[in-house]
Structure formats: C-alpha cells, structure tokens
Amino acid sequence: MTEVVMPRLDPGMQSGKIVEWLKKEGDTVQKGEPILVVEGEKTTFEVEAPESGPLTKIIADVGTDVLVAQPVAIIGSPGTPLTAAASTPLAEKERTAPAVAGYGTPSDRVVASPAARRLAQEYGVNLASVKGTGPGARITREDILAAKDAGRPTAQVAQTVSKAPQATVLKRVKLSGVRKVVAERLGYSARTGVPVTITVEADATKLMTMKEKQSHVGFTAFGVKAAAKALRNHPEVNSTIENDEVTTYSDVNVAVAINTDQGLVAPVIRNADKLSLQEISSAIEELARKAIENRLGIESLTGGTFTVTNLGAYDVESFAPVINPPQCAILGLGRIGYKPSAHGKDVVVRPSTLLTLVFDHRIIDGVPAAKFLRDIKRNLEDPEEL
Amino acid sequence: MKELTYADALREALREEMIRDPNVILLGEEIGVFNGVYKVTRGLLDEFGPERVRDTPISEAAIAGAAVGLALAGMKPVAEIMYMDFLPICMDQLSTQAAKMRFMSGGQLNVPMVLRTQYSLGRQHGSQHSQFTPAWFLQVPGLKVVLPSDPSDAKGLLKSSIRDPNPVLFVESGLLYRTKGPVPDEEYTVPIGEASVKKKGEDITIVAVSRMVNESLAAAKKLEADGISAEVVDLRSLQPFDLETIAESVKRTARLVIASDDVKRGGIGAEISASVTENCFDYLDAPIMRVACPDTPIPFSPQLEQEYMPNADRVVQAVRGVLGK
C-alpha cells in the first residue's frame, strides 16, 4: 500500500488544488504514469504514480485544496483485491484523512442564515470561526454581531467603512491561481522583508547605438545580462533568506517578471551570467510566449536567485518593485530616453535610464548594494563588453 | 373617540356613504327587512327605503351580476354575499367581468362595486360555511381585496372601498362582528393597500390577517413576558399588499411568521413569504414560517374545529421555533 501525497514543487508551495483525476478508483496504474492534475502556486502539473498497483482510494476530490505532504490517494499492492486494499489504509488514515478530505465537503458547509452571511461579509467576520447559536446551530445575525463586537480593531474599521457611502460594485472575484500566488508571495515579502530602494542614472548612449544595430535584442535582456555579470562579483546579493538563514548561490539564475492575462509570473533564466546577450534575449522571448500560453513548466519557475523587471516600455521613469521572495534583491528598469544631463558645467542631452535596486537590508547593507548597482550601471554604459 | 363593535362600525360606514352619495345602494340576501344576518345593515332599509336597500333572491350569481351591471351603469352598489364559501358562484362575474372591464375598455369603463362577504371559521358552521379563501383572488388582477381586523379599520376601509372606482372584495370576519374598539368621531378613511403596524417589536415580525391579528397581538403579549419582542403587522389589504411596510419590518427583525385563517397550502402566507424572500433574502435570519389551517376541509365538530383553527398559542409556538428559544 502506497500513499500518493501532494508534492512540494517549490520551497514556497503550501498546498495544491486537485484539478482533474486522470484515473478513477479501481484503475490499475503504473509507476511514473500521470494519475492526477494539480494546480500549484505557480503552475498546473501532473502528479505521477509513485508505485504500480490498483488505485484503491481517491481521498481528495476535484476542487479540493490539499496541503503539501497530505495524502490524495492510495495505491494498493499489485494483485491485492480492491476491497481488502481499501479497508486497511482507510482505517489507518482516519487520523489524518479528515484534515484533507474535509475541505469543501458538504458536511463541512457552514450553516449560516442569509442575514448572517451578509453581515459577516460587511464586517469582515470569518463565518467558519463563529459558533452558531440558532436552531440546528445555525449562525444567526446576533452571532455575527457578537463576533464583530468581540473582534479585532480591523472589524471596527470595516464597520465604519460599511456605513460610509459605498461605491457601485462592478464585480467581486475571489483571489485564485496566479493572482492568489502573487498576492500571497508579495504580501509575504512586504510584511517580512526590510526593503531599501536606491536609484542611479545610467548613460544609455552606447546602449542606444548598440540597440540600433541589434534591434531584436530587448532592453530587458541588456538589464538581465548587466545584472548577471554584476552578480558574479557580488555573491552576497545573489542570495535568498528563509527562516533567518541566508543562502548564497554559485549559480546566477535571474528571474524575469512577465505580465500575462492571469497575472504576473517570473520565469527563471538559469546561469544567465554564462549566456550571451543573444541567448538571454531568445530565452526571454521563449519564456514570455510560454507564460502567455500558460505553458510554463515548474522547472522554469523555480530556483531564481535575483529578479529583473522592466516597465520602461510603459513610459515609467523609475519604480521600486517588491522583492520576489525569498530573494535578496530586485532590479527595476525604467524608460530609456533623451534627457538633459549635467556634464561638468555643461548641460548635454543624451539617452539615459534610471536603474532602481530594491534590496533586503536584513541580508546586505547599503554600501555593498550601492557598489553592486554601480557595477550594473557600468555594465550597461559599456554594453559592448557584455 | 367612541367605542363601536366591528358590525356597527361597518354600519356607520355604509350609512355615511349612502348619505354622502345617492348612487350608493345596497343589495343582498336578508339585508333589508331582516336587518342583515349579522346586523350590519340594521335600520338602513327604514332610513333609505327599498329603492336603495334591496333584498334579493337566494342567487349569488344574480347578486354579483346585478352589482356589475349597476356599477357599469353609474351606480355604486355594495352587494353582500352571506358566506365567503358562496363566492365561487359569483366567480365569473367577479373574475371574468368586474376585474377585467376597465383594462379591456382601455379605461373607458369603471366597475365601482363592493362585494362584502364574511367567513365564519370558529362558529361551527361546517365545511361549506366556514372557509377563508382570499388567496384565490390573488390570481385575479384588477380586483382589490381588503380584510380589516378591527372596528376602526373596518369603517375606514369600507368607506375607501365604496369610493374606489374599481371592484373591491371586502372580507369580514364572523368572529369579529361583536368585538369592540375605538372609532374616531370625525370623518376619516383608511387607504387600501397599506398595512398597519399594530405593535412595535424588535425580535420577529408577525404579519397577521383579519382575525389572526388579534390572536397575534395576544401571542406577542405572551412572548413579551418571556423577553421576546414581536412586531405585529396587520396586512389589512391583500391586493394590493403592502410589501414595503413588511420588508421594512423584516429588515429590522430578520425573522417572519405569517398568521392567517386560510389553508396553509398556496395561501396568503405563501405569497407573502415568496415576496419577502425575493426582496429581503439577505436580511433573513431564519426560514419564514406560516401559521395557518391544515390542508383538510374544516370539521363541523366544535372540538375538532378548535383543534383545526390557528390561535395565539400556535403563533407563540411558531415564533419560538423560528428563534430557537
């Protein structure tokens, strides 16, 4: 008997949602054969059978969210009669199974009156945390009002807001998929990190000249290459932090922020420091196409050590992006354009761009960060050397 | 303010309107020489003469048909049908003729008639003389239906009904004729289509109809002793009915019980419940409950009839069920 558990495909992954069962109970499955499809935090992937044998029990139905390492199915030993195989694991599973199978099952439905549901939403009270005192333990209006009064200051704020004139709602959408991941990860980053922002201006004269010759290479590729080259000399920036532990890497894996219909994704260009400008440019194009088609594999979404994001195409001068956790730093590229600039006592008009580095002060201090950013600036100002 | 019985308040309304408008005439069985089975028309034959107070043969179809004809010809007939159970005999005149004329003539014709009737549930009159069936007329657009519960509303609503240019079915309660209540001395009317909050409350709304208003007020008193504050709304008009007042109350109390003397299935409570659910779903804290009669013919046996009828205790029971207390 073998348990099929929710795999962790990324250090940040907390749970996965069952999208589809490719096999049904009673089917015989082969080791390595995909048996279900799971929506992880970054992508959708197929889970393979860890052993061969009859699929004796599906524990988590389609639509349920299952915590990493919790069982989703049971595969019996080859040749075991279905019934016998099913009975043993079921008994064993009783302690842990409800925690998984309980999600969204009808028996777990919160019994609350329509009025209670309306008020819970209005006051930001979590229905699941309220004990119902009405007939059949139904959560009543009074229960919500009591929960709100007993509640936290946030509930009070929500109440005040609810009494003010409300805007007309266009639609309400529950965070899910990529949007949910973006919200959770960047929210986590904003809550836990100590971000510091520094900006420098880079002379883009040579960059413009070179870009004219190689029009197919995007500015993002220049930024990635310049950062990758600088990271090689600043391993302290090429790092991640998790649970008070900083890890620095010998590989320079640069993630690139890409906008899709579903939201932001940051696929990774591995060993970017060892790739040519041309190779980086092609890699970005390839990743962007896959991202838009929602075909990014898990392998292209994990292992990033630094991130580059570019809003220059949208006329943004400069911006301070949120660090992509658990990474140490992120580089934001602004618009490249002709701007007046002081040269000694003269003003010249030349192409320039603003480079913004946001770094986590828990990992590195201001001076090493400034030195790192200065290296990026120098790399970009001398792009022939890239 | 004076004290009048429900029957005398109705009589005052008829008399005052007959004085006010010579086109108002009365017709029905036993209303003249016998002074009316329930004495609502007592003395009116003597005062206004046989031209305006007409005893008719025992033919409800003729009474209703004559009333429609009189109304179309410019009179303001107030016809009496002795028992509500006999309305099916008048149904074609009421539903097919009276209720449709104004609409079908593009407003050129009016049918300003009132059909008074009563129900005798609780008076041991048996299955065929006790029914309360106003909900039938919910399916008759064009016909107004009013059902007062106290002398003051009885007088004010009957005057409004007589003055209304449309046909009105005026449903009285046999058990209420001898009940007394204050009636204003001065001239007044009560508008059709407005409910009345008979008692303010916080925890639950009881929408009551006709006789069940008094029972619900008694229930509210009992509940009050146990710390449950019930609001009692007298529906007064069934068609059109005052959803606004009911909704305003339900939005405050979040709970609703509907009390009426009709059969529960497909009755007044069903229509009110559906309308409240459609309009106030997000304000409801509990299922809407109905206190009404069982889905059987009304028994003649006094003991069985008492068991059959809704009362204050049943309302208390329903309220407790809804509140879980």
Side-chain angles (χ1 to χ4, degrees):
Chain A
M1 189 274 286
T2 307
E3 272 181 356
V4 182
V5 300
M6 177 61 67
R8 184 195 296 273
L9 287 132
D10 169 68
M13 179 169 163
Q14 302 290 323
S15 65
K17 185 174 167 186
I18 313 281
V19 174
E20 187 187 354
W21 279 98
L22 303 172
K23 298 287 173 184
K24 57 183 188 297
E25 279 183 16
D27 284 356
T28 299
V29 300
Q30 299 301 320
K31 184 175 176 178
E33 182 182 12
I35 56 171
L36 75 152
V37 180
V38 168
E39 183 185 292
E41 308 206 352
K42 290 171 173 170
T43 187
T44 301
F45 54 90
E46 290 177 344
V47 176
E48 297 168 355
E51 287 298 334
S52 299
L55 184 63
T56 51
K57 178 78 187 160
I58 287 176
I59 297 170
D61 290 330
V62 167
T64 45
D65 230 340
V66 182
L67 295 174
V68 165
Q70 290 292 328
V72 297
I74 290 161
I75 295 173
S77 311
T80 325
L82 273 179
T83 44
S87 62
T88 328
L90 269 185
E92 277 176 22
K93 278 276 79 62
E94 259 172 51
R95 267 168 304 139
T96 52
V100 177
Y103 286 98
T105 57
S107 62
D108 259 20
R109 182 178 172 266
V110 175
V111 180
S113 77
R117 287 180 189 280
R118 175 179 57 85
L119 290 175
Q121 189 170 26
E122 206 167 287
Y123 297 137
V125 173
N126 178 10
L127 272 180
S129 67
V130 178
K131 193 176 170 296
T133 62
R138 184 194 303 129
I139 298 170
T140 64
R141 187 174 63 155
E142 280 73 17
D143 295 333
I144 300 297
L145 294 175
K148 173 190 68 108
D149 291 342
R152 315 110 319 181
T154 51
Q156 293 298 328
V157 172
Q159 184 190 9
T160 319
V161 169
S162 75
K163 279 176 183 162
Q166 297 296 298
T168 307
V169 174
L170 182 59
K171 61 175 179 177
R172 285 184 215 277
V173 181
K174 211 159 176 64
L175 287 178
S176 70
V178 173
R179 199 69 255 155
K180 192 175 171 190
V181 175
V182 168
E184 279 170 3
R185 290 175 63 83
L186 298 187
Y188 173 81
S189 173
R191 284 192 303 277
T192 57
V194 184
V196 177
T197 304
I198 54 176
T199 304
V200 298
E201 186 181 272
D203 181 345
T205 312
K206 289 182 182 168
L207 193 59
M208 286 290 257
T209 315
M210 192 166 162
K211 179 82 175 69
E212 275 159 24
K213 281 186 254 169
Q214 301 183 44
S215 60
H216 54 284
V217 177
F219 282 123
T220 309
F222 283 98
V224 169
K225 181 65 185 170
K229 195 175 168 188
L231 282 166
R232 216 159 44 202
N233 299 325
H234 298 269
E236 72 280 5
V237 187
N238 194 41
S239 61
T240 58
I241 181 167
E242 270 172 298
N243 302 324
D244 296 334
E245 187 179 89
V246 176
T247 312
T248 51
Y249 299 87
S250 50
D251 288 346
V252 175
N253 297 339
V254 179
V256 180
I258 289 171
N259 185 50
T260 72
D261 288 348
Q262 277 96 44
L264 181 70
V265 290
V268 177
I269 300 169
R270 283 173 209 283
N271 300 310
D273 57 327
K274 297 183 180 125
L275 299 179
S276 70
L277 201 54
Q278 183 61 57
E279 285 169 328
I280 289 173
S281 184
S282 306
I284 293 173
E285 277 174 33
E286 173 73 11
L287 290 170
R289 197 171 61 247
K290 280 188 178 173
I292 286 157
E293 290 167 5
N294 203 14
R295 284 195 301 112
L296 283 175
I298 195 74
E299 70 289 345
S300 47
L301 287 164
T302 54
T305 58
F306 183 81
T307 300
V308 173
T309 172
N310 180 6
L311 290 179
Y314 305 97
D315 291 347
V316 170
E317 290 291 336
S318 75
F319 65 109
V322 178
I323 295 168
N324 184 7
Q327 295 167 12
C328 170
I330 185 166
L331 177 69
L333 304 176
R335 181 178 75 93
I336 298 178
Y338 283 88
K339 280 174 229 168
S341 176
H343 258 235
K345 287 185 176 177
D346 296 326
V347 173
V348 295
V349 174
R350 56 158 200 193
S352 68
T353 184
L354 290 169
L355 307 173
T356 304
L357 182 78
V358 180
F359 64 94
D360 192 335
H361 211 322
R362 292 177 302 170
I363 307 177
I364 55 167
D365 296 324
V367 171
K371 286 180 176 170
F372 169 64
L373 185 58
R374 189 183 58 191
D375 279 3
I376 296 176
K377 166 188 153 89
R378 286 177 177 165
N379 290 343
L380 276 175
E381 287 179 343
D382 208 359
E384 299 289 351
E385 298 300 311
L386 281 172
Chain B
M1 225 178 292
K2 62 201 171 198
E3 283 268 314
L4 285 182
T5 64
Y6 187 89
D8 285 341
L10 289 166
R11 183 181 169 280
E12 269 201 5
L14 291 173
R15 185 172 173 273
E16 285 176 18
E17 290 307 297
M18 289 179 84
I19 292 168
R20 180 175 175 270
D21 184 347
N23 286 323
V24 175
I25 64 159
L26 311 184
L27 65 160
E29 297 160 11
E30 313 274 28
I31 65 163
V33 177
F34 191 64
N35 284 318
V37 176
Y38 305 106
K39 306 304 170 203
V40 172
T41 51
R42 181 169 43 85
L44 297 181
L45 174 63
D46 290 344
E47 186 173 350
F48 296 99
E51 289 287 303
R52 296 184 67 193
V53 181
R54 301 291 288 254
D55 275 321
T56 66
I58 304 178
S59 169
E60 284 77 18
I63 296 169
V68 174
L70 285 163
L72 283 169
M75 305 296 285
K76 293 198 164 173
V78 181
E80 181 180 311
I81 301 295
M82 202 182 287
Y83 285 89
M84 190 160 201
D85 310 73
F86 306 157
L87 285 180
I89 304 171
C90 314
M91 202 58 143
D92 178 64
Q93 293 302 327
L94 273 179
S95 169
T96 314
Q97 310 303 334
K100 308 289 194 283
M101 291 286 184
R102 183 170 181 179
F103 184 83
M104 290 182 72
S105 70
Q108 295 180 75
L109 298 173
N110 283 330
V111 187
M113 64 177 275
V114 177
L115 201 75
R116 284 181 50 240
T117 190
Q118 64 84 38
Y119 75 105
S120 279
L121 183 68
R123 293 162 63 95
Q124 298 94 50
H125 285 197
S127 296
Q128 299 159 321
H129 294 77
S130 304
Q131 299 171 87
F132 182 57
T133 59
W136 287 350
F137 301 92
L138 284 169
Q139 290 285 323
V140 185
L143 182 70
K144 295 185 178 180
V145 181
V146 298
L147 4 69
S149 74
D150 67 26
S152 168
D153 286 346
K155 181 178 176 185
L157 275 169
L158 184 52
K159 286 168 80 93
S160 290
S161 299
I162 292 170
R163 295 180 195 182
D164 199 286
N166 300 295
V168 178
L169 178 64
F170 194 93
V171 185
E172 299 157 15
S173 164
L175 276 185
L176 291 179
Y177 280 131
R178 305 268 76 84
T179 59
K180 281 190 172 181
V183 174
D185 296 317
E186 67 278 3
E187 161 76 21
Y188 75 98
T189 59
V190 171
I192 296 173
E194 279 185 18
S196 156
V197 178
K198 286 281 197 277
K199 178 191 168 295
K200 279 294 210 184
E202 303 299 327
D203 300 328
I204 190 162
T205 300
I206 304 168
V207 169
V209 180
S210 191
R211 187 189 70 90
M212 284 309 291
V213 173
N214 292 354
E215 295 294 317
S216 298
L217 286 168
K221 206 163 203 175
K222 288 185 187 183
L223 290 163
E224 201 84 19
D226 297 332
I228 297 169
S229 163
E231 179 147 313
V232 178
V233 178
D234 181 353
L235 192 68
R236 297 202 296 194
S237 296
L238 177 61
Q239 193 160 288
F241 84 80
D242 185 358
L243 181 60
E244 201 176 314
T245 296
I246 297 170
E248 188 279 319
S249 178
V250 169
K251 283 179 179 179
R252 268 190 292 108
T253 66
R255 300 165 188 110
L256 176 61
V257 164
I258 303 154
S260 59
D261 267 334
D262 56 347
V263 168
K264 188 174 183 179
R265 181 175 57 201
I268 295 170
E271 177 56 33
I272 294 174
S273 171
S275 298
V276 169
T277 306
E278 282 175 353
N279 290 279
C280 312
F281 181 76
D282 286 325
Y283 292 86
L284 288 171
D285 213 17
I288 298 169
M289 299 303 281
R290 293 170 287 168
V291 176
C293 291
D295 300 333
T296 74
I298 299 162
F300 170 73
S301 146
Q303 288 80 7
L304 285 180
E305 189 183 31
Q306 281 306 308
E307 198 52 42
Y308 176 93
M309 288 168 67
N311 55 30
D313 285 341
R314 298 252 172 94
V315 174
V316 168
Q317 228 177 326
V319 167
R320 288 185 182 286
V322 168
L323 290 167
K325 288 179 180 170

